[in-house]
């Protein structure tokens, strides 16, 4: 799944509603003892096959169904414990060797469990089935079997029903064993009206006419899979189709008026499924793969096997209206979900504590696959950003290990975060660089083949990546793998990476997955000697929290003396390297392929600053971006003075590469964003002026067109937007002119896509401009255009409009509620709106957690987004007072609240320590610049 997020309803239940009273076991809703007292299901019974018939009614917005589940009894028992949530259960039968007989049903809503109690024992090894009838309302949220709607261009509202079961929501759609290790086959039938179609994981085999004019679609039986991957949709969608080289039928489904925006996604899906088929050397096991654009969808996308689902913005593309970054985003989302068809669907983590085995891999494979299939997207330019985002969360003491114990649904939801996705991808990238791409590829193919249709834990992956070349199941038929192994049987300079005594993949990777955080490596060069030490990088005023951490770090470095990348595995707290000769400079973590930061002690940073000022292209753009990132992050923990970091940033006036430029903005812009929320106009304007001056030449060189590579276009869009928002005269004038022309043409004039954000941001400053934009937003069917308009409207200085936008998004009629999180966070970053966003979050908290779910990444995104730019003790008290008043049922235990506190505390420390330094440095620079002008 790609996160924006999902949901679940954890309502506080009155004691009669499945209580657990002190000193006695749990009680069912009828007051009888409930025969199971754990949240995880027992392992006495496993499902083998589900026969499901589902009948949704899109008029009454509810559904009924029958589930027949074939059981594998592994221990004698008289109870079947399974999941069901918020549904009415009836007609429960046991079908066994003695015929059909009714079972007693007990419900325990606290754990969403049902107990089906038999008056005689179910005997191990015998064949049994249970049959249950069920009924429920279509969910109002974005998970389970939920209702969605869209408005046609004539204003008609049409309904559909769709599913989202990851992580724990299949139990809200049908009774099931809703844990990933209970894999089974599914045969699904859907009852519908003739005006709708139904689609599911597998192709339809036939349609049967039922009395009353209804139709029943029968779908082929699925492969063995987890409950969270089951999917079905009843809608009036249209589709377009193509077939891959391997003979798989790919179809893209969308609402009728948007079907003309599906061509790009269809071609991308064909290309990517073919790539994965070859790369993993395992044929995609289903006859078809559908991609459906759902009008109401909370996460980014979901990898249901054979029927992946997406937000409309994640799938629909209009070549004349969508930007370069839209194209990049859509391609990455499709690459992510299709990678899951192997990582996650074919081989699934045993439990949610190892979610990263699904999500870290899918995130990582986005970059591997697009590098080959869409080289023109230059996807490598965007990978580092993911590692920096992960480090942001991972530098707080509220972070968690990649693999971390979770029990209840809220904790499971919280696993869908930057640590599982982005840190997961970054440590896999580090391992691939360390082992070599060939060895890594061979190891993951072995992993997928060895555990197909099974469930795995962390250690299974590390075993598969160990002793690559002397394995029984190595496929010698793959020529490049055979060549790789024969080459590595000969001793060479790199051979120590492959000798068994040296390389214990599990021992290395356990240090990255079983402890939270990441290392800071301090490097001090003295002549030919390089002294190394490691510690945990942590933003805290309590140094004791960094103790007790040790990583095995695959260090890489290069020096002024040669372009060779040298490698060294740092296993201890300190170590010493010896260089063959003295050098002018040394750069560790080449291309930032390792998930760690580097501090250059002694004269180290001054040497690097000198190199960047005189010959910055001696280092790659990724290396330059990582130096910008590391030096500013080291200011936060007091290892480097702020003026050192600012001196380094001066080189950016010569920078042209997207990764380094955006990282420069990424470190400098937050400094004035903190000031915008305090009363310090003069310093804030000085800081803004410094950033505009730094990038002035680069901004002036940008054309107001759509020419160039994807990276050039994404950079242009960013620079012109920045110049316009900061009122840099040439940009402001041009953006104002463009908006006026567009408005005068009644929105029919075609603006260059890359500059629309700049024009829109300037245009919505007036009530007249804002109202015109809103009118166009409401009428547009172009998802990417609507998305840009929404962002611009949220950045308007008109406070009444900002408040209205948040209320309308919550209401969901004119603006979709799925977009509310982006609207609220957008407004919180607006200097005219941040107070409104904080007040709105507090006033509507209970509605928001019900709609978007406790623990979900959406709630986390809003909490962090709305609070992260405050830096005063008064605001910290206000934030603590609100979140401190919550109960566990309303979110008090969520990790994001701790992250919010820590982030504001860090901002306060930063401002207290560095404001005087910043003021002094900017003043000194102003004198220096005016001196040069004389």
């Amino acid at each position: 799944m790609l996160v924006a997020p999902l949901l679940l309803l954890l309502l506080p239940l009155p004691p009669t509603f499945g209580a657990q009273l002190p000193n006695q076991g749990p009680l069912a809703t009828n007051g009888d003892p409930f025969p199971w007292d754990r949240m995880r299901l027992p392992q006495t019974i496993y499902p083998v096959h589900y026969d499901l018939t589902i009948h949704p009614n899109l008029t009454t917005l509810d559904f009924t169904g029958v589930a027949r589940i074939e059981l594998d009894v592994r221990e004698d028992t008289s109870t079947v414990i399974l999941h069901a949530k918020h549904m009415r259960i009836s007609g429960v039968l046991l079908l066994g060797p003695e015929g059909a007989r009714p079972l007693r049903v007990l419900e325990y809503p606290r754990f969403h469990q049902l107990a089906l109690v038999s008056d005689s024992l179910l005997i191990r090894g015998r064949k049994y089935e249970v049959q249950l009838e069920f009924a429920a309302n279509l969910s109002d949220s974005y998970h389970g079997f939920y209702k969605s709607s869209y408005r046609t261009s004539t204003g008609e509202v049409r309904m559909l029903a769709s599913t989202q079961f990851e992580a724990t929501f299949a139990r809200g759609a049908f009774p099931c064993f809703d844990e990933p290790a209970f894999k089974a086959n599914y045969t699904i039938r859907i009852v519908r009206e003739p005006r709708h179609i139904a689609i599911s994981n597998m192709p339809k085999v036939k349609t049967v006419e039922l009395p009353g004019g209804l139709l029943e679609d029968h779908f082929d039986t699925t492969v063995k899979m987890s409950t969270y991957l089951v999917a079905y949709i009843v809608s009036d969608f249209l589709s377009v189709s193509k077939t891959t080289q391997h003979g798989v039928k790919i179809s893209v489904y969308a609402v009728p008026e948007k079907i003309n925006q599906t061509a790009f996604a269809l071609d991308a899906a064909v290309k990517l499924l073919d790539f994965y088929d070859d790369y993993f050397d395992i044929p995609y096991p289903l006859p078809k793969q559908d991609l459906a654009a759902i009008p109401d969808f909370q996460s980014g996308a979901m990898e249901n096997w054979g029927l992946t689902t997406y937000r409309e913005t994640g799938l629909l593309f209009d070549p004349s209206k969508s930007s370069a970054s839209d194209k990049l985003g859509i391609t990455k989302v499709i690459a992510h979900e299709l990678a899951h068809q192997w990582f996650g669907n074919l081989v699934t983590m045993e439990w949610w504590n190892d979610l990263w085995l699904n999500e870290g891999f899918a995130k990582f494979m986005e970059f591997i696959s697009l590098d080959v299939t869409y080289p023109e997207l230059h996807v490598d330019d965007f990978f580092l950003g993911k590692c920096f985002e992960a480090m942001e969360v991972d530098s707080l003491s509220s972070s968690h290990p990649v693999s971390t114990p979770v029990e209840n649904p809220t904790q499971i939801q919280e696993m869908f975060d930057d640590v599982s996705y982005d840190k997961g991808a970054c440590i896999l990238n580090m391992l691939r660089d360390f082992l070599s791409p060939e060895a890594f590829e061979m190891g993951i193919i072995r992993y997928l083949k060895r555990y197909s249709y099974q469930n795995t834990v962390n250690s299974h992956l590390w075993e598969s990546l160990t002793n690559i070349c002397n394995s029984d199941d190595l496929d010698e038929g793959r020529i490049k793998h055979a060549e790789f192994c024969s080459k590595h049987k000969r001793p060479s300079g790199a051979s120590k990476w492959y000798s068994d005594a040296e390389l214990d993949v599990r021992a290395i990777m356990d240090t990255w997955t079983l402890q939270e955080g990441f290392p800071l490596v301090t490097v001090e060069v003295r002549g030919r000697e390089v002294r190394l030490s490691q510690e945990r990088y942590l933003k805290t005023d309590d140094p004791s929290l960094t103790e007790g951490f040790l990583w095995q770090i695959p260090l890489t470095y290069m020096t002024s003396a040669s372009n060779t990348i040298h490698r060294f595995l740092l296993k201890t707290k300190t170590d010493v390297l010896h260089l063959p000769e003295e050098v002018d400079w040394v750069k560790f973590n080449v291309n930032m392929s390792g998930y760690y930061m580097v501090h250059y002690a002694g004269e180290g940073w001054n040497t690097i600053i000198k190199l960047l000022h005189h010959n910055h292209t001696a280092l790659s753009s990724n290396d330059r971006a990582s130096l910008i990132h590391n030096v500013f992050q080291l200011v936060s923990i007091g290892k480097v003075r702020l003026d050192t970091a600012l001196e380094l940033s001066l080189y950016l006036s010569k920078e042209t590469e997207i990764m380094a430029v955006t990282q420069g903005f990424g470190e400098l812009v937050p400094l004035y964003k903190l000031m915008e929320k305090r009363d310090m106009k003069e310093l804030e304007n000085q800081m803004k002026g410094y950033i505009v001056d730094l990038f002035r030449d680069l901004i002036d060189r940008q054309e107001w067109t759509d020419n160039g590579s994807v990276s050039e276009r994404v950079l242009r869009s960013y620079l012109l937007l920045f110049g316009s928002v900061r009122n840099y005269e040439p940009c402001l004038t041009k953006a104002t002119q463009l908006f006026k022309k567009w408005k005068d043409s009644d929105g029919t004039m075609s603006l260059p896509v890359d500059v629309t954000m700049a024009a829109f941001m300037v245009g919505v400053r007036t009530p007249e401009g804002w109202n015109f934009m809103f009118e166009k937003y409401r009428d547009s069917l172009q998802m990417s255009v609507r998305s840009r308009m929404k962002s611009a409207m949220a950045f308007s200085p008109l406070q009444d409009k900002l408040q209205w936008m948040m209320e309308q998004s919550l209401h969901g009629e004119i603006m979709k509620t799925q977009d509310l999180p982006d609207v609220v966070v957008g407004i919180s970053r607006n200097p005219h709106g941040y107070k409104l966003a904080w007040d709105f979050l507090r006033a509507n908290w209970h509605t928001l957690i019900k709609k978007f779910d406790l623990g979900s990444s959406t709630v986390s995104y809003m909490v962090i987004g709305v609070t992260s730019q405050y830096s005063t003790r008064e605001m910290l008290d206000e934030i603590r007072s609100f979140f401190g008043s919550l109960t566990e049922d309303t979110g008090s235990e969520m990790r994001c609240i701790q992250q919010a506190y820590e982030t504001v505390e860090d901002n306060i420390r930063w401002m207290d320590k560095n404001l005087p330094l910043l003021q002094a440095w900017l003043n000194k620079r102003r004198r220096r610049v005016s001196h040069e002008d004389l």
Side-chain angles (χ1 to χ4, degrees):
M1 182 170 64
L2 252 188
V3 165
L6 313 140
L7 277 106
L8 160 156
L9 237 54
L10 277 182
L11 299 172
L13 300 169
T16 55
F17 231 66
Q20 178 138 21
L21 299 174
N23 307 323
Q24 74 172 77
L27 294 179
T29 47
N30 66 355
D32 289 354
F34 190 79
W36 185 249
D37 63 356
R38 270 165 266 172
M39 199 168 280
R40 297 282 297 273
L41 297 179
Q43 297 189 350
T44 47
I45 293 185
Y46 277 67
V48 177
H49 178 264
Y50 292 78
D51 231 310
L52 292 177
T53 303
I54 313 271
H55 179 194
N57 185 324
L58 293 184
T59 309
T60 55
L61 302 177
D62 53 15
F63 64 93
T64 56
V66 181
R68 217 170 130 154
I69 312 170
E70 186 187 326
L71 305 176
D72 168 17
V73 179
R74 300 193 176 181
E75 289 173 35
D76 294 359
T77 179
S78 58
T79 54
V80 180
I81 310 287
L82 73 170
H83 290 110
K85 181 179 150 196
H86 295 172
M87 55 172 64
R88 298 175 294 285
I89 301 289
S90 59
V92 181
L93 297 174
L94 178 70
L95 313 169
E98 296 89 45
R101 56 175 197 270
L103 293 173
R104 198 157 65 92
V105 181
L106 297 172
E107 297 185 44
Y108 187 54
R110 183 170 165 229
F111 291 170
H112 314 146
Q113 287 172 358
L114 293 179
L116 313 181
V117 185
S118 164
D119 46 22
S120 61
L121 222 49
L122 279 67
I123 308 297
R124 177 174 173 229
R126 287 203 193 156
K127 286 280 168 250
Y128 297 93
E129 288 184 326
V130 288
Q131 180 172 301
L132 308 92
E133 293 171 23
F134 54 95
N137 293 326
L138 287 169
S139 169
D140 280 328
S141 62
Y142 299 99
H143 58 260
F145 193 19
Y146 70 94
K147 60 182 186 231
S148 170
S149 65
Y150 70 94
R151 194 182 290 270
T152 67
S153 54
T154 58
E156 181 195 349
V157 174
R158 294 189 182 171
M159 301 302 298
L160 61 132
S162 183
T163 58
Q164 167 66 50
F165 292 161
E166 191 176 29
T168 56
F169 307 116
R171 62 190 69 171
F174 58 92
C176 57
F177 295 76
D178 199 12
E179 293 179 10
F182 289 104
K183 289 190 171 186
N185 305 93
Y186 297 80
T187 306
I188 295 173
R189 299 186 187 100
I190 306 280
V191 179
R192 61 175 171 90
E193 295 176 57
R195 66 194 169 113
H196 292 129
I197 61 159
I199 49 178
S200 184
N201 304 82
M202 296 298 285
K204 185 168 73 173
V205 287
K206 66 175 177 181
T207 299
V208 177
E209 288 190 27
L210 300 180
L214 293 172
L215 301 174
E216 184 177 75
D217 290 331
H218 293 224
F219 296 92
D220 215 342
T221 302
T222 69
V223 292
K224 193 175 165 193
M225 66 186 199
S226 303
T227 46
Y228 76 87
L229 295 168
V230 173
Y232 35 88
I233 301 169
V234 177
S235 69
D236 66 343
F237 289 174
L238 297 179
S239 65
V240 293
S241 304
K242 279 189 175 174
T243 304
T244 68
Q245 288 171 3
H246 295 82
V248 179
K249 183 183 179 184
I250 307 273
S251 306
V252 180
Y253 286 81
V255 304
E257 289 180 298
K258 294 175 186 170
I259 197 70
N260 60 349
Q261 297 175 52
T262 53
F264 178 75
L266 182 61
D267 288 341
V270 168
K271 211 173 190 180
L272 284 159
L273 203 73
D274 274 331
F275 168 81
Y276 288 134
D277 231 312
D278 294 335
Y279 183 90
F280 295 135
D281 194 34
I282 300 172
Y284 173 73
L286 309 186
K288 61 94 174 173
Q289 168 67 240
D290 298 335
L291 298 83
I294 313 294
D296 297 282
F297 198 81
Q298 192 40 51
S299 55
M302 178 63 210
E303 67 268 20
N304 317 301
W305 215 344
L307 171 51
T308 50
T309 47
Y310 303 77
R311 269 188 177 220
E312 291 185 323
T313 45
L315 203 60
L316 303 179
F317 182 84
D318 179 334
S320 63
K321 299 273 171 60
S322 300
S323 68
S325 56
D326 294 328
K327 186 179 209 171
L328 179 69
I330 288 168
T331 321
K332 278 171 64 181
V333 174
I334 296 170
H336 183 103
E337 302 314 325
L338 296 186
H340 270 312
Q341 307 300 301
W342 285 264
F343 275 105
N345 300 10
L346 183 67
V347 179
T348 313
M349 74 268 135
E350 192 163 291
W351 180 243
W352 301 105
N353 62 313
D354 279 328
L355 174 69
W356 85 276
L357 288 172
N358 280 17
E359 297 300 350
F361 254 111
K363 175 60 67 182
F364 174 69
M365 288 308 300
E366 290 174 30
F367 293 89
I368 298 293
S369 62
L370 295 187
D371 200 33
V372 176
T373 52
Y374 285 89
E376 70 277 15
L377 291 179
H378 294 291
V379 72
D380 273 1
D381 287 344
F382 304 94
F383 186 71
L384 262 201
K386 293 286 131 199
C387 304
F388 295 149
E389 280 170 36
M391 285 176 161
E392 187 74 21
V393 177
D394 216 12
S395 63
L396 303 174
S397 55
S398 53
S399 186
H400 64 91
V402 167
S403 180
T404 202
V406 287
E407 191 70 6
N408 67 46
T410 302
Q411 292 167 344
I412 292 168
Q413 288 297 90
E414 287 190 311
M415 289 299 284
F416 292 81
D417 68 354
D418 286 349
V419 173
S420 295
Y421 286 70
D422 297 343
K423 179 177 179 176
C426 294
I427 61 175
L428 287 169
N429 185 54
M430 173 169 71
L431 183 60
R432 177 178 185 255
D433 179 67
F434 178 62
L435 294 175
S436 82
E438 298 87 348
F440 182 83
E441 184 182 325
M442 288 157 66
I444 62 174
I445 289 168
R446 180 203 287 187
Y447 169 76
L448 289 171
K449 287 185 172 177
R450 195 180 273 179
Y451 297 107
S452 289
Y453 303 105
Q454 296 175 56
N455 295 79
T456 57
V457 296
N458 250 341
S459 55
H460 292 135
L461 177 62
W462 310 142
E463 285 156 18
S464 300
L465 283 159
T466 305
N467 302 338
I468 301 290
C469 288
N470 51 4
S471 146
D472 299 340
D473 50 1
L474 176 68
D475 181 1
E476 289 289 354
R478 299 197 84 182
I479 304 293
K480 62 180 177 177
H481 293 173
E483 280 175 2
F484 173 82
C485 287
S486 63
K487 192 167 74 187
H488 280 279
K489 281 172 187 153
R490 298 192 295 272
S492 71
S495 64
K496 77 167 192 173
W497 304 121
Y498 302 98
S499 73
D500 299 343
E502 180 70 37
L503 193 64
D504 182 342
V505 174
R506 181 174 180 174
I508 295 169
M509 295 310 292
D510 277 354
T511 69
W512 296 92
T513 58
L514 302 182
Q515 58 184 354
E516 71 272 23
F518 59 89
L520 166 64
V521 175
T522 298
V523 174
E524 190 167 5
V525 181
R526 297 190 180 176
R528 285 177 46 213
E529 197 175 80
V530 182
R531 297 187 177 189
L532 303 169
S533 64
Q534 61 161 296
E535 64 192 287
R536 180 177 177 193
Y537 175 95
L538 189 65
K539 291 176 178 172
T540 178
D541 49 6
D542 179 358
S544 71
L545 294 173
T546 63
E547 286 163 17
F549 288 87
L550 186 69
W551 284 266
Q552 294 200 21
I553 311 173
L555 294 179
T556 53
Y557 63 97
M558 55 188 285
T559 69
S560 55
S562 85
N563 284 330
T564 310
I565 298 178
H566 303 275
R567 297 175 183 276
F568 179 75
L569 187 64
L570 179 63
K571 294 180 174 183
T572 48
K573 194 95 179 127
T574 59
D575 211 332
V576 180
L577 282 175
H578 295 279
L579 301 173
E581 59 195 300
E582 286 198 21
V583 293
D584 297 332
W585 54 264
V586 58
K587 164 71 173 75
F588 272 75
N589 201 356
V590 179
N591 286 321
M592 183 113 186
S593 56
Y595 185 71
Y596 58 94
M597 283 191 206
V598 182
H599 172 43
Y600 299 91
E603 279 301 296
W605 279 111
N606 292 336
T607 308
I608 278 167
I609 291 170
K610 215 174 294 174
L611 173 66
L612 288 173
H613 284 284
H614 293 111
N615 182 19
H616 67 283
T617 54
L619 297 170
S620 71
S621 64
N622 271 9
D623 276 328
R624 304 195 298 268
S626 73
L627 289 168
I628 297 162
H629 173 264
N630 288 191
V631 79
F632 277 94
Q633 296 304 313
L634 290 167
V635 173
S636 289
I637 60 166
K639 293 274 186 189
V640 171
R641 279 176 56 93
L642 177 62
D643 33 11
T644 305
L646 290 165
E647 287 296 324
L648 184 143
S649 76
L650 285 166
Y651 106 87
L652 284 163
S653 62
K654 297 186 293 222
E655 185 57 86
T656 57
E657 296 282 340
I658 185 167
M659 198 60 237
V661 171
T662 50
Q663 201 51 43
F665 277 110
E667 300 299 341
L668 295 167
V669 168
L671 305 190
Y672 75 68
K673 295 306 286 181
L674 291 178
M675 296 172 208
E676 283 180 345
K677 292 182 171 54
R678 296 168 61 141
D679 189 17
M680 40 180 55
K681 262 290 177 247
E682 192 186 342
L683 183 58
E684 177 195 319
N685 287 331
Q686 255 183 289
M687 187 64 204
K688 288 173 176 174
Y690 168 61
I691 303 174
V692 172
D693 282 350
L694 200 55
F695 294 106
R696 183 188 305 266
D697 288 351
L698 193 56
I699 294 172
D700 289 344
R701 291 209 298 275
Q702 302 304 311
E703 297 169 7
W704 291 67
T705 65
D706 285 340
N707 302 332
S709 70
V710 169
S711 292
E712 286 163 347
R713 290 182 59 187
V714 172
L715 183 59
R716 169 193 303 130
S717 187
Y718 189 94
L719 289 166
L720 296 179
L721 173 61
F722 177 78
S724 304
V725 169
R726 291 279 59 82
N727 299 321
Y728 174 51
E729 195 48 51
C731 290
L732 187 61
T733 307
K734 184 77 175 163
T736 308
Q737 281 170 357
L738 280 173
F739 185 79
K740 185 177 183 314
K741 278 187 186 165
W742 180 70
K743 185 168 171 291
D744 291 346
S745 76
D746 194 29
T748 57
M749 174 191 149
S750 187
L751 291 171
V753 179
D754 296 348
V755 305
T756 50
M757 263 321 273
F760 288 174
M761 282 285 205
V762 170
V764 294
R765 290 177 179 182
T766 66
E768 189 194 2
W770 197 97
N771 290 339
F772 177 77
M773 176 84 72
F774 178 71
E775 223 175 279
K776 295 298 152 200
Y777 168 85
R778 202 180 45 203
D779 297 341
S780 174
L781 287 170
Q782 263 32 64
M783 297 318 296
S784 49
V785 177
R786 283 171 63 90
S787 187
R788 287 196 288 277
M789 289 175 168
K790 183 189 69 201
S791 299
M793 290 189 293
F795 207 74
S796 169
L798 308 167
Q799 292 186 325
D800 57 327
K801 304 289 191 191
L802 301 177
Q803 185 66 32
W804 185 84
M805 264 184 99
M806 290 191 288
E807 285 162 6
Q808 287 304 319
S809 303
L810 185 61
H811 192 50
E813 289 281 309
I814 304 174
M815 303 184 86
K816 285 268 186 199
T817 305
Q818 66 174 12
D819 296 332
L820 176 66
D822 283 334
V823 170
V824 172
V825 172
I827 290 172
S828 78
R829 293 182 179 158
N830 176 342
H832 303 277
Y834 61 88
K835 198 79 185 80
L836 299 174
W838 169 234
D839 291 344
F840 181 87
L841 184 75
R842 287 187 293 176
N844 296 287
W845 179 256
H846 296 285
T847 311
L848 294 172
I849 58 171
K850 204 178 266 189
K851 187 75 180 170
F852 295 113
D853 203 42
L854 280 185
S856 71
S857 57
T858 309
V859 170
S860 169
Y861 169 64
M862 288 191 280
V863 169
I864 304 293
V866 168
T867 58
S868 64
Q869 292 174 349
Y870 286 115
S871 61
T872 64
R873 284 172 179 78
E874 296 73 29
M875 265 318 291
L876 179 60
D877 291 344
E878 199 172 298
I879 291 166
R880 279 188 183 281
S881 154
F882 172 68
F883 289 124
S885 71
L886 302 177
T887 63
E888 187 172 348
D889 289 330
T890 56
S892 65
E893 300 299 302
M894 287 192 300
R895 188 183 287 117
C896 61
I897 292 173
Q898 293 311 314
Q899 289 169 341
Y901 294 161
E902 284 188 67
T903 302
V904 178
E905 286 164 359
D906 178 54
N907 292 343
I908 292 170
R909 281 195 299 274
W910 197 99
M911 294 294 257
D912 286 351
K913 185 174 176 187
N914 292 306
L915 272 183
L917 288 167
L918 180 60
Q919 181 74 73
W921 189 85
L922 288 170
N923 288 343
K924 191 172 88 182
R925 185 185 165 275
R926 193 163 53 184
R927 288 196 297 276
R928 208 161 51 189
V929 170
S930 54
H931 204 70
E932 285 166 8
D933 290 346
L934 292 176

